[in-house]
Amino acid sequence: MRVVIAEDNALLREGLVLLLTSAGHEAVAVVGTGPEILPALLEHRPDVAVLDVRMPPDFRDEGLRAALAARRELPDLPVLVLSQYVEESYAAELLAGGAGGLGYLLKDRVGRVDEFLDALARVAAGGTALDPEVVTELLTRRRDSPLDSLTPREREVLKLMAEGRDNATIAGTLVVTERAVHKHIGNVFLKLGLPPSDSGHRRVMAVLTYLNNAGGKA
């Protein structure tokens, strides 16, 4: 994959380059400030962008703003956002567009190489990859949403879907059969009013419904 990296910490930036190139990917651009991000993305049109949320010059939300601007210019651009802490408003804003190819991980997840590369691949393929801590934090903020019709087990399944887990992994985590997982997912689709035309698209839309409603209420 061709990757654009935006990270102001030089050590982490070089570590990401080494990690990605060792895995057979290509870092086509590496930038260290917010204003450099969008031009690099528009010039290189990578398979996926890995962006820090807080970047110079102000260390506020430069990476997030660049991601949102890039998604307006390149709607299908997969973006994996890295953050030092769980910042619910940033995660909710990024996910509010209702499209796949998005991830939000805490930076210490990068040190778990296999997990990070798996998340990157899922995002690049148009899926979602949300850090479990991010999902948990968003869930605690949920009030009165379409998710209220889901059973506790269906909510558990949808939470794991939001983390990017496949059916086999969900089954193993919950100690149920894959057939049971498939049934729960079908119930989730039905209760969230998602049409049966495209199961892959419905999976992404179910996750985004979950995340938008989880983070949208205080």
Side-chain angles (χ1 to χ4, degrees):
M1 290 186 291
R2 300 170 64 256
V3 186
V4 166
I5 299 171
E7 168 59 54
D8 67 287
N9 183 295
L11 186 61
L12 179 55
R13 188 168 63 236
E14 294 307 312
L16 283 168
V17 172
L18 179 61
L19 188 160
L20 292 171
T21 54
S22 297
H25 306 307
E26 179 187 3
V28 294
V30 182
V31 302
T33 68
E36 297 177 278
I37 299 173
L38 185 57
L41 294 174
L42 295 178
E43 177 183 352
H44 295 282
R45 297 177 179 254
D47 297 313
V48 61
V50 178
L51 310 178
D52 187 7
V53 168
R54 297 180 181 231
M55 298 279 290
D58 297 323
F59 294 97
R60 297 180 65 184
D61 57 0
E62 289 82 358
L64 175 74
R65 295 296 159 205
L68 294 171
R71 295 276 288 198
R72 287 192 292 270
E73 296 285 339
L74 305 169
D76 296 326
L77 174 69
V79 176
L80 177 59
V81 170
L82 302 179
S83 180
Q84 190 69 43
Y85 310 104
V86 179
E87 303 182 80
E88 309 93 15
S89 60
Y90 291 167
E93 185 168 1
L94 181 65
L95 293 157
L102 290 170
Y104 191 110
L105 297 182
L106 297 183
K107 285 189 177 181
D108 57 7
R109 195 72 56 183
V110 177
R112 304 171 193 180
V113 174
D114 289 342
E115 288 186 33
F116 173 73
L117 291 175
D118 181 60
L120 187 71
R122 288 201 306 272
V123 170
T128 56
L130 279 295
D131 196 289
E133 290 187 39
V134 173
V135 174
T136 299
E137 186 69 26
L138 288 172
L139 182 60
T140 62
R141 295 167 59 85
R142 182 187 57 80
R143 299 289 188 277
D144 301 326
S145 80
L147 306 179
D148 290 337
S149 63
L150 303 183
T151 66
R153 177 62 87 188
E154 289 163 358
R155 236 178 253 129
E156 285 181 310
V157 169
L158 187 50
K159 178 177 182 290
L160 291 168
M161 287 169 61
E163 293 172 15
R165 311 305 174 189
D166 59 22
N167 287 11
T169 303
I170 293 172
T173 302
L174 300 180
V175 196
V176 297
T177 64
E178 285 192 55
R179 183 177 180 180
V181 170
H182 182 78
K183 180 179 179 180
H184 288 312
I185 292 174
N187 289 338
V188 168
F189 289 161
L190 182 65
K191 291 180 179 181
L192 295 184
L194 299 172
S197 56
D198 182 341
S199 61
H201 180 66
R202 282 197 300 169
R203 196 178 183 97
V204 171
M205 291 306 298
V207 167
L208 292 171
T209 299
Y210 170 80
L211 292 164
N212 287 334
N213 284 278
K217 303 286 184 178

